[in-house]
Amino acid sequence: MIRQSWLGILALAICGLASHPAPAQFGGLFGGPKIETISTDDLQSLLNKQRQAAADAKASGGEAPQADFVVVDVRSDAEVNVSIIPGAITKQQYEANRQDYQGRTVIPYCTVGGRSGAYAKQLAAKGIKVKNYKGSILKWIDAELPLVTLDGEPTNRVHTYSDRYKIPSKYEQVTQ
């Protein structure tokens, strides 16, 4: 009798969980929309094309064309205060001016791709076109690509929170 009661309670609990999709329970971390990813080469190509288009426009006295994408660093203030990928903006900048980026593909990144993947799912659930830069800043520096400060100054420093990540010797690893 007690066993049957427990089985009944378990069945009700399972039915209750099944009635709410996983994204609702776990904030979109599990399940939800499939998010397309972008490679380091493809991201670098997009940024280079945009930089070149801006330089060409400036040389001809015109205005730089608006990119059809925006790269968003979703890391903490401590991390972005060390360095970002050139051409990126912070999550706070994106959120404060979201209307300025309507219609553009949002490309979030973080340290390895977990936080940016979760953010990408949140954006996709709102109907925003998004591609996660999986591998994120660690893949960027593995390719020995440049970093800048928030002021746009070149830097070789990268925040990783942990020295367990092995980074190329040309970079200075910041863990605090």
Side-chain angles (χ1 to χ4, degrees):
M1 176 80 165
I2 294 175
R3 184 175 180 193
Q4 287 177 336
S5 296
W6 279 110
L7 288 174
I9 292 170
L10 180 60
L12 286 173
I14 289 171
C15 288
L17 287 175
S19 68
H20 302 287
Q25 296 172 29
F26 299 104
L29 294 176
F30 303 103
K34 179 164 175 38
I35 304 299
E36 189 177 341
T37 60
I38 187 168
S39 70
T40 300
D41 288 342
D42 289 343
L43 178 57
Q44 180 186 22
S45 178
L46 282 175
L47 289 167
N48 285 343
K49 285 179 186 172
Q50 184 59 31
R51 225 177 339 257
Q52 186 61 52
D56 291 348
K58 184 176 181 180
S60 67
E63 196 147 322
Q66 184 179 49
D68 62 352
F69 66 93
V70 59
V71 180
V72 179
D73 191 320
V74 303
R75 298 175 304 148
S76 70
D77 288 345
E79 293 167 287
V80 299
N81 285 332
V82 172
S83 63
I84 63 171
I85 292 174
I89 62 171
T90 67
K91 180 181 175 184
Q92 291 77 15
Q93 290 170 317
Y94 174 76
E95 292 290 335
N97 301 293
R98 189 179 288 200
Q99 70 283 355
D100 294 344
Y101 304 103
Q102 281 186 323
R104 298 191 201 186
T105 299
V106 178
I107 305 171
Y109 76 91
C110 56
T111 302
V112 296
R115 289 176 286 175
S116 59
Y119 187 61
K121 286 188 179 210
Q122 291 173 13
L123 294 176
K126 295 176 182 176
I128 297 169
K129 186 173 180 190
V130 64
K131 290 183 181 182
N132 184 31
Y133 179 26
K134 191 172 181 183
S136 289
I137 206 163
L138 290 181
K139 285 287 186 194
W140 188 262
I141 63 170
D142 279 348
E144 298 195 3
L145 294 168
L147 296 172
V148 294
T149 64
L150 287 174
D151 294 330
E153 295 298 317
T155 184
N156 69 337
R157 300 177 76 224
V158 62
H159 197 295
T160 62
Y161 274 115
S162 170
D163 59 6
R164 73 178 174 157
Y165 299 112
K166 301 301 174 212
I167 64 170
S169 61
K170 85 180 240 178
Y171 297 97
E172 176 188 339
Q173 189 169 30
V174 177
T175 57
Q176 297 179 11

